[in-house]
Amino acid sequence: MQRKSVIVVAFALAVSLAGSMLVAERQIQLHQLQSQLLQDQSTYAVRVGTLTNLSAPSQIATQAGALHLVDPVSVTQVPSTSLDAILPLPKFSGYAPVTSRTNR
């Protein structure tokens, strides 16, 4: 009887040890995944910051200056109108060639 109980206790210890090892291995995997997630989030935040800086007004003004874009000499205010009113066709002063949409 005593030998049987020693075998049962040894088997229980072995199962318990195996279970603990599996849990420890899973905890290590979770820690590695959390570390990878933090690294990826940090990289994403840096990239978002870089792209946000590219769209800052000062950067846009600098790029516009490099492309020789200047402030307009005059601004024409378009009069407001009711949305219910039917507007006339626009009148152009000058010639613009007609280009088919398929040939663009």
Side-chain angles (χ1 to χ4, degrees), residues 14-75:
V15 169
S16 176
L17 182 62
S20 295
M21 289 174 59
L22 288 174
V23 168
E25 181 181 339
R26 184 64 182 151
Q27 288 294 325
I28 290 171
Q29 289 175 347
L30 285 174
H31 177 71
Q32 290 171 343
L33 287 173
Q34 286 176 333
S35 297
Q36 182 64 40
L37 175 64
L38 287 174
Q39 181 64 36
D40 291 344
Q41 287 175 333
S42 175
T43 302
Y44 175 76
V46 168
R47 289 181 180 173
V48 166
T50 302
L51 292 176
T52 301
N53 289 339
L54 289 176
S55 64
S58 61
Q59 289 294 323
I60 292 173
T62 301
Q63 291 295 325
L67 295 171
H68 305 292
L69 299 174
V70 296
D71 290 330
V73 177
S74 66
V75 176

Short mmCIF file of all heavy atoms in Angstrom, two decimals, residues 14-75:
data_model
loop_
_atom_site.label_atom_id
_atom_site.label_comp_id
_atom_site.label_asym_id
_atom_site.label_seq_id
_atom_site.Cartn_x
_atom_site.Cartn_y
_atom_site.Cartn_z
N ALA A 14 5.08 14.82 -10.70
CA ALA A 14 5.54 14.92 -12.09
C ALA A 14 4.52 15.69 -12.92
O ALA A 14 4.89 16.56 -13.73
CB ALA A 14 5.78 13.53 -12.66
N VAL A 15 3.24 15.39 -12.75
CA VAL A 15 2.19 16.10 -13.49
C VAL A 15 2.18 17.57 -13.09
O VAL A 15 2.06 18.47 -13.93
CB VAL A 15 0.82 15.43 -13.26
CG1 VAL A 15 -0.31 16.30 -13.78
CG2 VAL A 15 0.79 14.07 -13.91
N SER A 16 2.31 17.83 -11.80
CA SER A 16 2.33 19.21 -11.31
C SER A 16 3.53 19.97 -11.86
O SER A 16 3.41 21.13 -12.28
CB SER A 16 2.36 19.20 -9.78
OG SER A 16 2.48 20.52 -9.29
N LEU A 17 4.69 19.33 -11.87
CA LEU A 17 5.90 19.96 -12.40
C LEU A 17 5.75 20.22 -13.90
O LEU A 17 6.11 21.31 -14.39
CB LEU A 17 7.12 19.07 -12.13
CG LEU A 17 8.47 19.62 -12.59
CD1 LEU A 17 8.78 20.91 -11.85
CD2 LEU A 17 9.56 18.60 -12.34
N ALA A 18 5.20 19.28 -14.64
CA ALA A 18 4.99 19.46 -16.08
C ALA A 18 4.01 20.60 -16.34
O ALA A 18 4.22 21.44 -17.21
CB ALA A 18 4.49 18.16 -16.71
N GLY A 19 2.94 20.66 -15.54
CA GLY A 19 1.97 21.75 -15.68
C GLY A 19 2.60 23.10 -15.38
O GLY A 19 2.37 24.08 -16.09
N SER A 20 3.40 23.16 -14.34
CA SER A 20 4.09 24.41 -13.99
C SER A 20 5.03 24.85 -15.10
O SER A 20 5.14 26.04 -15.41
CB SER A 20 4.87 24.25 -12.69
OG SER A 20 3.99 24.03 -11.62
N MET A 21 5.71 23.89 -15.70
CA MET A 21 6.63 24.22 -16.79
C MET A 21 5.86 24.76 -18.00
O MET A 21 6.30 25.71 -18.64
CB MET A 21 7.47 22.99 -17.17
CG MET A 21 8.49 22.62 -16.12
SD MET A 21 9.37 21.09 -16.47
CE MET A 21 10.12 21.43 -18.02
N LEU A 22 4.71 24.18 -18.30
CA LEU A 22 3.90 24.66 -19.42
C LEU A 22 3.37 26.07 -19.15
O LEU A 22 3.38 26.93 -20.03
CB LEU A 22 2.74 23.70 -19.69
CG LEU A 22 3.11 22.35 -20.31
CD1 LEU A 22 1.88 21.44 -20.38
CD2 LEU A 22 3.70 22.55 -21.69
N VAL A 23 2.93 26.30 -17.92
CA VAL A 23 2.44 27.64 -17.56
C VAL A 23 3.57 28.65 -17.64
O VAL A 23 3.40 29.76 -18.15
CB VAL A 23 1.79 27.61 -16.15
CG1 VAL A 23 1.53 29.02 -15.64
CG2 VAL A 23 0.51 26.82 -16.18
N ALA A 24 4.74 28.30 -17.15
CA ALA A 24 5.90 29.20 -17.20
C ALA A 24 6.28 29.51 -18.64
O ALA A 24 6.59 30.66 -18.99
CB ALA A 24 7.06 28.59 -16.45
N GLU A 25 6.25 28.50 -19.50
CA GLU A 25 6.58 28.71 -20.91
C GLU A 25 5.56 29.65 -21.57
O GLU A 25 5.94 30.55 -22.33
CB GLU A 25 6.60 27.37 -21.65
CG GLU A 25 6.97 27.49 -23.11
CD GLU A 25 6.97 26.15 -23.82
OE1 GLU A 25 7.07 25.11 -23.14
OE2 GLU A 25 6.86 26.14 -25.05
N ARG A 26 4.30 29.48 -21.23
CA ARG A 26 3.26 30.35 -21.79
C ARG A 26 3.42 31.78 -21.29
O ARG A 26 3.22 32.74 -22.04
CB ARG A 26 1.88 29.80 -21.42
CG ARG A 26 0.74 30.56 -22.01
CD ARG A 26 0.74 30.47 -23.52
NE ARG A 26 -0.36 31.26 -24.03
CZ ARG A 26 -0.38 31.85 -25.18
NH1 ARG A 26 0.64 31.72 -26.00
NH2 ARG A 26 -1.41 32.55 -25.58
N GLN A 27 3.81 31.94 -20.03
CA GLN A 27 4.05 33.27 -19.49
C GLN A 27 5.22 33.95 -20.21
O GLN A 27 5.17 35.15 -20.50
CB GLN A 27 4.34 33.20 -17.98
CG GLN A 27 3.13 32.87 -17.15
CD GLN A 27 2.09 33.96 -17.18
OE1 GLN A 27 2.42 35.13 -17.24
NE2 GLN A 27 0.83 33.58 -17.16
N ILE A 28 6.23 33.20 -20.53
CA ILE A 28 7.38 33.75 -21.27
C ILE A 28 6.92 34.19 -22.66
O ILE A 28 7.29 35.26 -23.14
CB ILE A 28 8.53 32.73 -21.34
CG1 ILE A 28 9.15 32.54 -19.96
CG2 ILE A 28 9.59 33.16 -22.35
CD1 ILE A 28 10.14 31.41 -19.86
N GLN A 29 6.10 33.37 -23.31
CA GLN A 29 5.60 33.74 -24.63
C GLN A 29 4.75 35.01 -24.56
O GLN A 29 4.87 35.89 -25.41
CB GLN A 29 4.76 32.60 -25.22
CG GLN A 29 5.57 31.39 -25.64
CD GLN A 29 4.68 30.24 -26.09
OE1 GLN A 29 3.47 30.25 -25.87
NE2 GLN A 29 5.29 29.23 -26.71
N LEU A 30 3.90 35.11 -23.54
CA LEU A 30 3.08 36.31 -23.38
C LEU A 30 3.94 37.55 -23.15
O LEU A 30 3.68 38.62 -23.69
CB LEU A 30 2.09 36.14 -22.22
CG LEU A 30 0.90 35.23 -22.48
CD1 LEU A 30 0.10 35.02 -21.21
CD2 LEU A 30 0.02 35.79 -23.57
N HIS A 31 4.98 37.39 -22.34
CA HIS A 31 5.88 38.52 -22.10
C HIS A 31 6.57 38.95 -23.39
O HIS A 31 6.70 40.15 -23.67
CB HIS A 31 6.92 38.15 -21.04
CG HIS A 31 7.92 39.22 -20.79
ND1 HIS A 31 7.60 40.39 -20.14
CD2 HIS A 31 9.23 39.33 -21.12
CE1 HIS A 31 8.67 41.16 -20.08
NE2 HIS A 31 9.67 40.54 -20.68
N GLN A 32 7.00 37.99 -24.19
CA GLN A 32 7.65 38.32 -25.47
C GLN A 32 6.67 39.02 -26.41
O GLN A 32 7.03 39.98 -27.09
CB GLN A 32 8.21 37.06 -26.12
CG GLN A 32 9.41 36.49 -25.40
CD GLN A 32 9.83 35.13 -25.94
OE1 GLN A 32 9.08 34.46 -26.63
NE2 GLN A 32 11.05 34.73 -25.59
N LEU A 33 5.43 38.56 -26.43
CA LEU A 33 4.42 39.20 -27.28
C LEU A 33 4.11 40.61 -26.80
O LEU A 33 3.95 41.53 -27.62
CB LEU A 33 3.13 38.36 -27.31
CG LEU A 33 3.19 37.07 -28.11
CD1 LEU A 33 1.92 36.26 -27.90
CD2 LEU A 33 3.40 37.35 -29.58
N GLN A 34 4.04 40.82 -25.49
CA GLN A 34 3.81 42.16 -24.96
C GLN A 34 4.97 43.09 -25.30
O GLN A 34 4.77 44.26 -25.66
CB GLN A 34 3.60 42.12 -23.44
CG GLN A 34 2.25 41.57 -23.05
CD GLN A 34 2.09 41.44 -21.55
OE1 GLN A 34 3.08 41.28 -20.82
NE2 GLN A 34 0.86 41.51 -21.08
N SER A 35 6.18 42.58 -25.21
CA SER A 35 7.36 43.38 -25.56
C SER A 35 7.33 43.75 -27.04
O SER A 35 7.63 44.90 -27.41
CB SER A 35 8.65 42.61 -25.25
OG SER A 35 8.75 42.36 -23.88
N GLN A 36 6.97 42.81 -27.89
CA GLN A 36 6.88 43.08 -29.32
C GLN A 36 5.78 44.10 -29.61
O GLN A 36 5.95 44.99 -30.44
CB GLN A 36 6.61 41.78 -30.09
CG GLN A 36 6.54 41.95 -31.59
CD GLN A 36 7.86 42.39 -32.18
OE1 GLN A 36 8.92 41.94 -31.76
NE2 GLN A 36 7.82 43.30 -33.13
N LEU A 37 4.65 43.98 -28.92
CA LEU A 37 3.55 44.93 -29.10
C LEU A 37 3.99 46.33 -28.71
O LEU A 37 3.73 47.30 -29.44
CB LEU A 37 2.35 44.51 -28.26
CG LEU A 37 1.16 45.48 -28.26
CD1 LEU A 37 0.57 45.59 -29.66
CD2 LEU A 37 0.11 45.03 -27.26
N LEU A 38 4.68 46.47 -27.58
CA LEU A 38 5.16 47.78 -27.16
C LEU A 38 6.16 48.36 -28.17
O LEU A 38 6.13 49.56 -28.48
CB LEU A 38 5.81 47.69 -25.77
CG LEU A 38 4.83 47.53 -24.62
CD1 LEU A 38 5.60 47.30 -23.31
CD2 LEU A 38 3.94 48.73 -24.50
N GLN A 39 7.01 47.52 -28.70
CA GLN A 39 7.98 47.98 -29.70
C GLN A 39 7.27 48.44 -30.97
O GLN A 39 7.59 49.49 -31.53
CB GLN A 39 8.97 46.85 -30.03
CG GLN A 39 10.02 47.23 -31.05
CD GLN A 39 10.94 48.32 -30.54
OE1 GLN A 39 11.28 48.37 -29.36
NE2 GLN A 39 11.34 49.22 -31.42
N ASP A 40 6.28 47.67 -31.42
CA ASP A 40 5.53 48.04 -32.62
C ASP A 40 4.72 49.32 -32.40
O ASP A 40 4.63 50.17 -33.29
CB ASP A 40 4.60 46.91 -33.05
CG ASP A 40 5.36 45.71 -33.59
OD1 ASP A 40 6.56 45.85 -33.91
OD2 ASP A 40 4.76 44.62 -33.68
N GLN A 41 4.12 49.48 -31.21
CA GLN A 41 3.39 50.70 -30.91
C GLN A 41 4.32 51.91 -30.89
O GLN A 41 3.96 52.99 -31.35
CB GLN A 41 2.66 50.57 -29.57
CG GLN A 41 1.45 49.67 -29.63
CD GLN A 41 0.80 49.46 -28.27
OE1 GLN A 41 1.46 49.55 -27.24
NE2 GLN A 41 -0.48 49.15 -28.28
N SER A 42 5.51 51.72 -30.36
CA SER A 42 6.48 52.82 -30.33
C SER A 42 6.90 53.21 -31.74
O SER A 42 6.97 54.40 -32.08
CB SER A 42 7.70 52.39 -29.51
OG SER A 42 8.70 53.37 -29.57
N THR A 43 7.17 52.23 -32.58
CA THR A 43 7.54 52.50 -33.96
C THR A 43 6.41 53.20 -34.69
O THR A 43 6.63 54.17 -35.44
CB THR A 43 7.88 51.17 -34.68
OG1 THR A 43 8.94 50.53 -33.98
CG2 THR A 43 8.30 51.42 -36.12
N TYR A 44 5.18 52.76 -34.45
CA TYR A 44 4.01 53.40 -35.08
C TYR A 44 3.89 54.85 -34.64
O TYR A 44 3.64 55.74 -35.46
CB TYR A 44 2.75 52.62 -34.71
CG TYR A 44 1.48 53.25 -35.20
CD1 TYR A 44 1.11 53.17 -36.54
CD2 TYR A 44 0.64 53.94 -34.34
CE1 TYR A 44 -0.06 53.75 -37.00
CE2 TYR A 44 -0.53 54.53 -34.78
CZ TYR A 44 -0.87 54.43 -36.11
OH TYR A 44 -2.02 55.03 -36.55
N ALA A 45 4.07 55.11 -33.35
CA ALA A 45 3.97 56.48 -32.84
C ALA A 45 5.03 57.38 -33.45
O ALA A 45 4.75 58.53 -33.80
CB ALA A 45 4.08 56.48 -31.32
N VAL A 46 6.23 56.86 -33.63
CA VAL A 46 7.30 57.65 -34.26
C VAL A 46 6.94 57.95 -35.71
O VAL A 46 7.11 59.09 -36.18
CB VAL A 46 8.65 56.89 -34.17
CG1 VAL A 46 9.69 57.53 -35.05
CG2 VAL A 46 9.12 56.84 -32.73
N ARG A 47 6.41 56.98 -36.42
CA ARG A 47 6.03 57.20 -37.82
C ARG A 47 4.88 58.19 -37.94
O ARG A 47 4.89 59.04 -38.83
CB ARG A 47 5.66 55.88 -38.49
CG ARG A 47 6.86 55.01 -38.73
CD ARG A 47 6.49 53.72 -39.41
NE ARG A 47 7.68 52.90 -39.63
CZ ARG A 47 7.65 51.67 -40.08
NH1 ARG A 47 6.50 51.12 -40.39
NH2 ARG A 47 8.76 51.00 -40.24
N VAL A 48 3.90 58.09 -37.06
CA VAL A 48 2.79 59.04 -37.08
C VAL A 48 3.31 60.45 -36.80
O VAL A 48 2.92 61.41 -37.46
CB VAL A 48 1.69 58.64 -36.06
CG1 VAL A 48 0.71 59.77 -35.82
CG2 VAL A 48 0.96 57.41 -36.55
N GLY A 49 4.21 60.57 -35.84
CA GLY A 49 4.80 61.87 -35.53
C GLY A 49 5.56 62.45 -36.71
O GLY A 49 5.46 63.64 -37.01
N THR A 50 6.31 61.60 -37.40
CA THR A 50 7.06 62.06 -38.57
C THR A 50 6.12 62.54 -39.66
O THR A 50 6.33 63.61 -40.25
CB THR A 50 7.95 60.92 -39.10
OG1 THR A 50 8.82 60.50 -38.07
CG2 THR A 50 8.76 61.37 -40.30
N LEU A 51 5.09 61.77 -39.94
CA LEU A 51 4.14 62.17 -40.98
C LEU A 51 3.34 63.40 -40.58
O LEU A 51 3.02 64.24 -41.42
CB LEU A 51 3.21 61.01 -41.31
CG LEU A 51 3.88 59.82 -42.00
CD1 LEU A 51 2.89 58.69 -42.20
CD2 LEU A 51 4.48 60.23 -43.33
N THR A 52 3.04 63.53 -39.30
CA THR A 52 2.32 64.71 -38.82
C THR A 52 3.18 65.95 -39.00
O THR A 52 2.69 67.01 -39.39
CB THR A 52 1.92 64.53 -37.35
OG1 THR A 52 1.11 63.37 -37.24
CG2 THR A 52 1.16 65.73 -36.83
N ASN A 53 4.46 65.81 -38.73
CA ASN A 53 5.37 66.94 -38.91
C ASN A 53 5.46 67.36 -40.38
O ASN A 53 5.65 68.53 -40.69
CB ASN A 53 6.75 66.62 -38.36
CG ASN A 53 6.75 66.55 -36.85
OD1 ASN A 53 5.88 67.08 -36.19
ND2 ASN A 53 7.74 65.86 -36.30
N LEU A 54 5.34 66.39 -41.28
CA LEU A 54 5.41 66.72 -42.71
C LEU A 54 4.22 67.55 -43.16
O LEU A 54 4.30 68.28 -44.14
CB LEU A 54 5.48 65.44 -43.55
CG LEU A 54 6.80 64.67 -43.47
CD1 LEU A 54 6.68 63.37 -44.27
CD2 LEU A 54 7.94 65.51 -43.99
N SER A 55 3.09 67.42 -42.46
CA SER A 55 1.90 68.17 -42.85
C SER A 55 1.71 69.45 -42.03
O SER A 55 0.66 70.08 -42.10
CB SER A 55 0.66 67.29 -42.74
OG SER A 55 0.44 66.93 -41.39
N ALA A 56 2.72 69.82 -41.26
CA ALA A 56 2.63 71.05 -40.47
C ALA A 56 2.62 72.26 -41.42
O ALA A 56 3.24 72.22 -42.49
CB ALA A 56 3.81 71.14 -39.51
N PRO A 57 1.93 73.32 -41.05
CA PRO A 57 1.86 74.50 -41.92
C PRO A 57 3.23 75.05 -42.33
O PRO A 57 3.43 75.47 -43.46
CB PRO A 57 1.09 75.52 -41.08
CG PRO A 57 0.25 74.69 -40.18
CD PRO A 57 1.08 73.48 -39.87
N SER A 58 4.18 75.02 -41.41
CA SER A 58 5.51 75.53 -41.76
C SER A 58 6.17 74.68 -42.84
O SER A 58 6.83 75.20 -43.74
CB SER A 58 6.39 75.59 -40.52
OG SER A 58 6.56 74.28 -39.98
N GLN A 59 5.98 73.36 -42.76
CA GLN A 59 6.55 72.47 -43.78
C GLN A 59 5.86 72.68 -45.13
O GLN A 59 6.51 72.67 -46.17
CB GLN A 59 6.42 71.00 -43.35
CG GLN A 59 7.33 70.63 -42.22
CD GLN A 59 8.79 70.69 -42.63
OE1 GLN A 59 9.15 70.35 -43.75
NE2 GLN A 59 9.62 71.13 -41.72
N ILE A 60 4.56 72.87 -45.10
CA ILE A 60 3.83 73.09 -46.35
C ILE A 60 4.27 74.40 -46.98
O ILE A 60 4.48 74.49 -48.20
CB ILE A 60 2.31 73.07 -46.10
CG1 ILE A 60 1.89 71.64 -45.71
CG2 ILE A 60 1.53 73.55 -47.31
CD1 ILE A 60 0.47 71.51 -45.28
N ALA A 61 4.44 75.44 -46.16
CA ALA A 61 4.90 76.72 -46.69
C ALA A 61 6.30 76.60 -47.28
O ALA A 61 6.60 77.17 -48.33
CB ALA A 61 4.87 77.77 -45.59
N THR A 62 7.16 75.84 -46.63
CA THR A 62 8.51 75.63 -47.14
C THR A 62 8.49 74.91 -48.48
O THR A 62 9.18 75.29 -49.43
CB THR A 62 9.35 74.83 -46.12
OG1 THR A 62 9.38 75.54 -44.89
CG2 THR A 62 10.76 74.62 -46.61
N GLN A 63 7.67 73.85 -48.57
CA GLN A 63 7.57 73.10 -49.83
C GLN A 63 6.95 73.96 -50.93
O GLN A 63 7.36 73.88 -52.09
CB GLN A 63 6.74 71.83 -49.62
CG GLN A 63 7.41 70.79 -48.76
CD GLN A 63 8.66 70.24 -49.41
OE1 GLN A 63 8.73 70.09 -50.62
NE2 GLN A 63 9.66 69.94 -48.60
N ALA A 64 5.96 74.78 -50.58
CA ALA A 64 5.34 75.66 -51.57
C ALA A 64 6.36 76.65 -52.09
O ALA A 64 6.42 76.95 -53.29
CB ALA A 64 4.15 76.39 -50.97
N GLY A 65 7.20 77.18 -51.20
CA GLY A 65 8.25 78.09 -51.64
C GLY A 65 9.25 77.40 -52.55
O GLY A 65 9.73 77.99 -53.53
N ALA A 66 9.57 76.16 -52.27
CA ALA A 66 10.49 75.41 -53.12
C ALA A 66 9.91 75.16 -54.51
O ALA A 66 10.64 75.05 -55.50
CB ALA A 66 10.85 74.08 -52.47
N LEU A 67 8.58 75.10 -54.59
CA LEU A 67 7.91 74.91 -55.88
C LEU A 67 7.57 76.24 -56.55
O LEU A 67 6.85 76.27 -57.55
CB LEU A 67 6.63 74.08 -55.68
CG LEU A 67 6.84 72.65 -55.21
CD1 LEU A 67 5.51 72.01 -54.84
CD2 LEU A 67 7.55 71.84 -56.28
N HIS A 68 8.06 77.34 -55.98
CA HIS A 68 7.84 78.69 -56.50
C HIS A 68 6.36 79.07 -56.50
O HIS A 68 5.91 79.80 -57.36
CB HIS A 68 8.44 78.86 -57.91
CG HIS A 68 9.89 78.51 -57.96
ND1 HIS A 68 10.86 79.26 -57.34
CD2 HIS A 68 10.54 77.48 -58.54
CE1 HIS A 68 12.04 78.72 -57.54
NE2 HIS A 68 11.88 77.62 -58.26
N LEU A 69 5.62 78.54 -55.54
CA LEU A 69 4.24 78.95 -55.37
C LEU A 69 4.23 80.19 -54.48
O LEU A 69 4.96 80.26 -53.50
CB LEU A 69 3.41 77.84 -54.72
CG LEU A 69 3.34 76.53 -55.51
CD1 LEU A 69 2.62 75.47 -54.70
CD2 LEU A 69 2.62 76.75 -56.82
N VAL A 70 3.45 81.16 -54.84
CA VAL A 70 3.44 82.42 -54.10
C VAL A 70 2.03 82.74 -53.63
O VAL A 70 1.05 82.13 -54.07
CB VAL A 70 3.97 83.59 -54.97
CG1 VAL A 70 5.43 83.35 -55.32
CG2 VAL A 70 3.14 83.73 -56.23
N ASP A 71 1.93 83.72 -52.74
CA ASP A 71 0.61 84.18 -52.29
C ASP A 71 -0.10 84.81 -53.48
O ASP A 71 0.51 85.47 -54.31
CB ASP A 71 0.76 85.20 -51.18
CG ASP A 71 1.27 84.56 -49.89
OD1 ASP A 71 0.96 83.38 -49.68
OD2 ASP A 71 1.97 85.24 -49.12
N PRO A 72 -1.41 84.66 -53.56
CA PRO A 72 -2.16 85.25 -54.67
C PRO A 72 -2.13 86.78 -54.59
O PRO A 72 -2.09 87.36 -53.51
CB PRO A 72 -3.57 84.71 -54.49
CG PRO A 72 -3.66 84.33 -53.06
CD PRO A 72 -2.28 83.93 -52.65
N VAL A 73 -2.16 87.41 -55.77
CA VAL A 73 -2.19 88.87 -55.83
C VAL A 73 -3.56 89.38 -55.46
O VAL A 73 -3.71 90.38 -54.77
CB VAL A 73 -1.79 89.34 -57.25
CG1 VAL A 73 -1.87 90.85 -57.36
CG2 VAL A 73 -0.40 88.85 -57.59
N SER A 74 -4.60 88.68 -55.89
CA SER A 74 -5.96 89.09 -55.54
C SER A 74 -6.80 87.85 -55.28
O SER A 74 -6.51 86.76 -55.78
CB SER A 74 -6.58 89.90 -56.67
OG SER A 74 -6.75 89.06 -57.81
N VAL A 75 -7.83 88.05 -54.50
CA VAL A 75 -8.75 86.98 -54.17
C VAL A 75 -10.14 87.44 -54.56
O VAL A 75 -10.57 88.53 -54.19
CB VAL A 75 -8.71 86.64 -52.67
CG1 VAL A 75 -9.74 85.58 -52.33
CG2 VAL A 75 -7.32 86.19 -52.27
#
